Amino acid sequence: VNAAAPEVEQKLLFITNEDGKLFSFRQLLQDGEIKPPALVFVQSKERAKELFGELVYDGIFVDAIHADRTKQQRDNTVKAFRAGKL
């Protein structure tokens, strides 16, 4: 069965353009609809890097996992996420 664990809340929004996605994501954060810890999946490592920069600019503790990162960096990010630091 393809389903999330019962304690995992999922939300799917259809947004028509990239600018709208960032605006909607920021709005969800402001409204408290997304509460840390949260995972956000994006289409490419380039988009992950862009979103990382935008969220850091907003003062949000965030990190990214993608193929340009070393295994140690990816492992550290997972550990920080599990510890509630991201």
Side-chain angles (χ1 to χ4, degrees), residues 17-37:
N17 62 50
E18 287 301 313
D19 292 335
K21 289 178 184 178
L22 183 57
F23 176 81
S24 296
F25 187 74
R26 284 178 167 144
Q27 193 65 48
L28 290 169
L29 287 170
Q30 281 183 343
D31 294 347
E33 292 189 46
I34 296 178
K35 296 179 180 108

Side-chain angles (χ1 to χ4, degrees), residues 41-57:
F41 294 90
V42 296
Q43 186 173 354
S44 66
K45 62 186 170 188
E46 290 78 18
R47 184 65 187 127
K49 291 175 186 179
E50 291 170 6
L51 185 59
F52 173 85
E54 291 288 342
L55 297 177
V56 167
Y57 179 80

Side-chain angles (χ1 to χ4, degrees), residues 50-71:
E50 291 170 6
L51 185 59
F52 173 85
E54 291 288 342
L55 297 177
V56 167
Y57 179 80
D58 288 348
I60 298 169
F61 294 108
V62 58
D63 208 340
I65 298 175
H66 54 73
D68 286 351
R69 311 273 319 264
T70 66
K71 181 175 182 344

